[in-house]
Amino acid sequence: IFERLDVNSNESQHYFATGGLFSRAGLQHYGGLVLKQEQPLILLVLNIRSFRFINDRHGHRIGDLLIRGLAYRLNKQLPDHWMSAHLKGAEFAVLAPQEELANLAQIEQFLNELTHKPITCDKTPLIVTLRAGIALFPQHSENIGQLLNQAETALTESRNEQSGSIRYFDPGHNRQQNQHLELLDALK
């Protein structure tokens, strides 16, 4: 996907975050360029489950090392033609061709490959599990900002569910939320 992008220019320095991953701004900038190639893509927004518990139990230093460790793992394990970003805190994003993560089994396998080994942080091995919110291009949106918002919405919904940790964006649910907000505004 990304062979033709110039990500080494001096002006692109602020587009990078933890562990050599793109930042949110980098994902939006370069991801927007990739969307112009009109190839079907999948955007996963990943979140470390129980990250607050890890911080509370082991301290913020270990939490920071865990974020760096996962960033390093994403940077090393993902195919070169995929894009990864550290969005904030314990949230990451992966942009990839849809055909390579075409079904739930492939996504689960991808997440298991990322987390099958503990991440060692200052001699403390931590077993990590991830949640994922997913949005598809062009099915859900044709712009990277909206696609990112939709994947984040799906991630939030996955946090509210007891079972499963992977959730696709549901445009119908978004319409229901918008109608509910419009109703609340009308009542004011």
Side-chain angles (χ1 to χ4, degrees):
I1 301 174
F2 313 109
E3 292 85 42
R4 294 181 291 264
L5 298 178
D6 178 18
V7 294
N8 295 318
S9 66
N10 286 336
E11 70 238 21
S12 69
Q13 297 280 335
H14 72 282
Y15 291 137
F16 291 93
T18 308
L21 302 183
F22 283 105
S23 64
R24 177 181 288 272
L27 175 67
Q28 289 181 315
H29 177 77
Y30 291 110
L33 295 175
V34 170
L35 264 55
K36 290 179 182 177
Q37 296 174 9
E38 298 185 10
Q39 175 185 0
L41 300 169
I42 183 169
L43 177 65
L44 292 87
V45 173
L46 309 174
N47 178 266
I48 300 172
R49 290 179 87 141
S50 303
F51 184 72
R52 186 173 295 158
F53 173 77
I54 291 168
N55 265 345
D56 291 347
R57 174 137 193 224
H58 300 285
H60 291 279
R61 183 172 171 282
I62 296 296
D64 290 345
L65 291 172
L66 177 60
I67 289 170
R68 285 192 208 120
L70 184 57
Y72 177 81
R73 195 171 280 182
L74 278 167
N75 205 12
K76 295 298 176 200
Q77 286 188 222
L78 294 186
D80 289 340
H81 60 283
W82 292 20
M83 181 181 283
S84 56
H86 178 219
L87 300 176
K88 64 180 179 183
E91 284 187 14
F92 297 84
V94 174
L95 186 64
Q98 272 188 40
E99 67 216 20
E100 295 181 39
L101 292 173
N103 59 53
L104 197 55
Q106 287 175 312
I107 294 167
E108 287 173 341
Q109 180 182 348
F110 162 69
L111 294 177
N112 287 335
E113 287 171 4
L114 275 177
T115 60
H116 75 281
K117 289 188 207 171
I119 296 175
T120 302
C121 304
D122 197 26
K123 299 180 183 175
T124 303
L126 298 172
I127 296 171
V128 176
T129 57
L130 300 172
R131 285 191 175 94
I134 299 169
L136 304 172
F137 169 82
Q139 295 93 318
H140 294 141
S141 179
E142 294 192 12
N143 101 25
I144 190 69
Q146 258 187 345
L147 200 65
L148 185 55
N149 287 340
Q150 291 165 339
E152 289 175 320
T153 296
L155 176 66
T156 299
E157 291 172 4
S158 80
R159 288 179 182 147
N160 297 332
E161 295 177 1
Q162 296 294 47
S163 63
S165 59
I166 300 170
R167 173 94 179 196
Y168 281 89
F169 174 71
D170 178 1
H173 184 71
N174 202 35
R175 270 187 243 117
Q176 289 171 345
Q177 283 182 325
N178 288 339
Q179 288 172 346
H180 182 72
L181 291 174
E182 287 171 8
L183 248 153
L184 289 175
D185 285 342
L187 292 173
K188 288 182 181 178

